[in-house]
Amino acid sequence: MGGSEQKYVNEAFDTNWIAPLGPNVNAFEQSIKNNLGNDVHVAALSAGTAAIHLALELLGVGNGDDVICQSFTFSASANPITYLGASPVFVDSELDTWNMSPILLRKAIEDGIARGKKPKAIIAVHLYGMPYKISEIGAISDEFEIPIIEDSAEALGSTYKEIPCGAFGDIGILSFNGNKIITTSGGGALVSKNKELVERAVFLATQARDDAPHYQHSNIGYNYRMSNVLAGIGRGQMEVLGDRVNARRANHQYYKDTLEGFSEIEFLKEPEGYFSNRWLSCILTPSFEIREKLRMSLLDENIESRPLWKPLHLQPIFSSAQHFVNGTSESLFERGLCLPSGSNLTQDDLERVVTTIKNVLT
């Protein structure tokens, strides 16, 4: 917490605005809009997953449709596809950013068209805060006229060519879950330059109540709006977003400066024009065995680390899903490790992590 969150939460209680609307919700949405710029509109929601669900529905995804989704990501990127009776088509990564491969994306689209089933949407993810290949994937989206849902759950504060992530896709989504770079405890947002889409999202997120003096419903709706209390936390958190990004990037720089001399450790570089919030600091090792030796040694010191995301095309729940792969995400999963990355890590914490790793490698 940055310190001012309590003030806005107290305002919610003092004014009796506890419901999923109110001054904090409006102000939080405005602060996100100010941060992203680019004439976006914002709807604060209960979760990033809810934002993906609404985005798919807004784009007309329904039963029997195909939606292309990055395979190397958390399952929340793909789960909402199934809520609507649609099918995920998973696309593997490229090595420059670890995100969706434009080459395989084109292949997946052309395969769908050849089968008479053009995909309805593309869910591209800025993984671990690193922007995906926005220009290349955007060009493919334009060529085939398939809208992009820009999953920026991990990328608030990241930029591509100095433009904030979240403002590139037809619809962008943000997450404020407890583990994100800023948090509202639980929450998310849907973002779009299309004002009508965002207004429709708010309508659906508030149980799709028609404009009538009584309760009347002509559409299926959801209880997805953010509460005024949690939005108060978000207002305070947005005030320190820059500090949080600086802290995460400082963590990553420390790991890089102290470990890059070891041939067994590799870091993902920022391509030219890319700026990552470094939500998580990740390393690659030469093999599964070395990764596990590091992970277990850290665990012996009561230091948590985790393997990189297990690709969705390898997950049991999606075992029958169509996928276009090149082995990249499987290799990253086997060799990669997320190191402690919290914004409140102390110098002693960082030194402890690095000392443990060095002891293993030497």
Side-chain angles (χ1 to χ4, degrees):
M1 295 292 101
S4 62
E5 295 88 352
Q6 190 69 53
K7 175 181 71 173
Y8 298 119
V9 171
N10 287 344
E11 282 182 15
F13 280 88
D14 292 341
T15 58
N16 208 29
W17 279 103
I18 307 300
L21 75 165
N24 280 337
V25 174
N26 297 337
F28 183 41
E29 290 174 342
Q30 186 62 48
S31 67
I32 296 169
K33 182 175 181 177
N34 293 344
N35 179 268
L36 297 182
N38 298 293
D39 298 319
V40 300
H41 303 274
V42 179
L45 303 171
S46 59
T49 310
I52 295 176
H53 183 192
L54 290 178
L56 290 165
E57 186 156 326
L58 291 169
L59 295 176
V61 174
N63 190 50
D65 289 332
D66 281 353
V67 174
I68 291 177
C69 182
Q70 187 163 311
S71 182
F72 195 39
T73 182
F74 181 52
S75 63
S77 298
N79 284 340
I81 298 171
T82 68
Y83 301 170
L84 296 165
S87 299
V89 176
F90 294 116
V91 168
D92 214 330
S93 298
E94 38 75 20
L95 286 171
D96 293 338
T97 72
W98 297 358
N99 293 310
M100 183 180 285
S101 162
I103 294 171
L104 291 179
L105 171 61
R106 177 179 293 276
K107 184 177 180 181
I109 292 171
E110 291 176 342
D111 177 84
I113 292 173
R115 292 185 289 106
K117 203 172 184 183
K118 179 180 173 180
K120 292 293 289 287
I122 300 164
I123 299 177
V125 184
H126 303 300
L127 201 72
Y128 299 123
M130 181 65 73
Y132 62 75
K133 293 201 167 183
I134 290 167
S135 295
E136 294 90 331
I137 289 177
I140 293 171
S141 164
D142 292 342
E143 178 184 345
F144 291 98
E145 297 182 329
I146 302 174
I148 293 176
I149 297 172
E150 180 190 355
D151 185 342
S152 299
E154 303 173 2
L156 186 61
S158 299
T159 64
Y160 173 72
K161 296 183 178 178
E162 300 185 352
I163 298 174
C165 291
F168 291 101
D170 295 86
I171 299 176
I173 76 101
L174 302 172
S175 172
F176 308 113
N177 190 29
N179 65 349
K180 296 301 187 291
I181 197 156
I182 66 166
T183 183
T184 56
S185 177
L190 183 144
V191 178
S192 180
K193 295 176 185 176
N194 187 324
K195 185 179 180 181
E196 291 182 359
L197 277 181
V198 175
E199 289 175 345
R200 179 70 176 174
V202 171
F203 169 72
L204 293 173
T206 48
Q207 300 291 15
R209 181 184 174 185
D210 294 342
D211 185 13
H214 52 275
Y215 286 94
Q216 179 161 306
H217 305 270
S218 303
N219 297 267
I220 296 296
Y222 311 96
N223 186 17
Y224 279 171
R225 206 67 164 108
M226 180 179 285
S227 86
N228 197 54
V229 177
L230 296 188
I233 299 175
R235 288 181 70 183
Q237 288 276 285
M238 286 298 292
E239 294 175 2
V240 295
L241 173 60
D243 296 336
R244 298 294 175 265
V245 172
N246 291 338
R248 300 282 176 139
R249 287 180 62 85
N251 290 341
H252 182 271
Q253 192 62 45
Y254 178 82
Y255 287 136
K256 187 173 184 295
D257 290 344
T258 54
L259 293 173
E260 66 179 349
F262 291 86
S263 60
E264 300 93 337
I265 301 293
E266 180 183 345
F267 293 88
L268 178 64
K269 298 177 181 178
E270 289 171 318
E272 185 176 353
Y274 288 67
F275 177 88
S276 171
N277 64 14
R278 299 294 188 183
W279 174 58
L280 294 186
S281 291
C282 306
I283 59 173
L284 285 182
T285 66
S287 66
F288 171 82
E289 289 74 20
I290 293 177
R291 185 205 80 184
E292 281 299 279
K293 189 174 182 180
L294 287 176
R295 187 178 69 83
M296 296 307 296
S297 296
L298 289 165
L299 189 61
D300 287 343
E301 296 297 324
N302 199 30
I303 300 171
E304 184 184 25
S305 63
R306 287 190 184 176
L308 303 187
W309 297 122
K310 182 176 182 178
L312 297 186
H313 70 271
L314 297 180
Q315 297 287 355
I317 192 64
F318 295 122
S319 59
S320 61
Q322 191 176 14
H323 51 274
F324 294 80
V325 299
N326 55 15
T328 297
S329 61
E330 293 183 32
S331 175
L332 292 171
F333 167 59
E334 289 179 354
R335 301 188 295 120
L337 194 65
C338 302
L339 301 180
S341 305
S343 305
N344 60 346
L345 288 174
T346 66
Q347 185 66 26
D348 288 343
D349 294 331
L350 291 167
E351 290 175 1
R352 227 176 113 231
V353 174
V354 166
T355 298
T356 304
I357 293 173
K358 285 182 175 180
N359 288 340
V360 173
L361 297 180
T362 55

